[in-house]
Amino acid sequence: MKYIVRAVKFFIWFCVVFCLMLAIMAVMDIVDPDPDLMFRDGVKSMWQIAILFVAVSLIYPLSGFMKKEAIIPGEYNEIRDRIIECMSSRGYILETEDGENMTFRLRSKAARAFKMFEDRITLTREPGGFVVEGLRKIVVRIVRALEYAIRENGQDDYSK
């Protein structure tokens, strides 16, 4: 279900951005506002573009989201506050906490809107650390930041 919702969100996002670009070009007299003159095949081109947007919207959620393991040694009670502090420094606030699993959301509503409200980062406790899930670009950054923050605070178990 989450995949379908994400695909629909991306389709709507692509359509909105496309329409805004066309509107700006029409207002600036770069293109004629008539679809029959704007596109080579007229209205038929709009259906082709819509099919392209559907295809990209169906593929992007598969490649745009990921799970990655963060090696964060220590007891949950010892590292919890440092994780929350690290996430807070990146603009995230704790949304939910279920046992040793945490979910974070962006603090800024504007930043959340630009990410189409797909800003949730989930940390699921695993032996040896956490599995971090969310947008690929953000997950990679968060994992590095968390591992670095814990290592900087005297929790470096890699040298042993």
Side-chain angles (χ1 to χ4, degrees):
M1 184 65 177
K2 193 186 297 187
Y3 169 78
I4 293 169
V5 170
R6 286 178 176 164
V8 169
K9 281 183 182 181
F10 283 112
F11 177 75
I12 292 169
W13 181 258
F14 291 143
C15 290
V16 167
V17 169
F18 180 69
C19 290
L20 283 174
M21 287 176 23
L22 292 179
I24 290 169
M25 289 190 304
V27 167
M28 295 175 67
D29 282 332
I30 296 171
V31 296
D32 196 304
D34 182 18
D36 287 324
L37 300 173
M38 187 182 296
F39 301 109
R40 183 181 316 169
D41 294 332
V43 177
K44 183 179 175 187
S45 292
M46 294 186 69
W47 287 108
Q48 294 168 347
I49 293 168
I51 291 169
L52 174 71
F53 286 174
V54 167
V56 172
S57 298
L58 291 173
I59 292 169
Y60 185 73
L62 296 174
S63 64
F65 295 86
M66 72 178 292
K67 292 181 182 182
K68 183 170 176 59
E69 185 174 353
I71 300 169
I72 305 174
E75 292 295 320
Y76 181 74
N77 302 352
E78 300 169 359
I79 60 176
R80 178 189 178 275
D81 292 335
R82 285 190 295 231
I83 291 172
I84 293 172
E85 181 182 321
C86 178
M87 294 297 287
S88 179
S89 72
R90 298 229 170 241
Y92 285 86
I93 57 172
L94 183 64
E95 181 185 37
T96 61
E97 188 172 11
D98 182 25
E100 294 186 350
N101 301 328
M102 296 183 273
T103 303
F104 293 88
R105 298 294 300 255
L106 280 171
R107 186 178 304 116
S108 166
K109 296 238 187 249
R112 291 179 68 200
F114 277 114
K115 295 193 183 315
M116 293 183 298
F117 299 96
E118 291 291 341
D119 62 317
R120 184 174 282 121
I121 299 293
T122 304
L123 279 73
T124 306
R125 187 71 165 154
E126 297 271 321
F130 288 89
V131 171
V132 182
E133 180 181 3
L135 280 168
R136 178 176 299 275
K137 180 177 169 183
I138 296 170
V139 165
V140 171
R141 291 178 183 166
I142 293 293
V143 167
R144 259 191 256 146
L146 288 172
E147 289 177 345
Y148 181 77
I150 300 301
R151 225 177 300 146
E152 282 295 303
N153 288 315
Q155 294 293 324
D156 186 7
D157 286 350
Y158 301 113
S159 62
K160 296 179 182 174

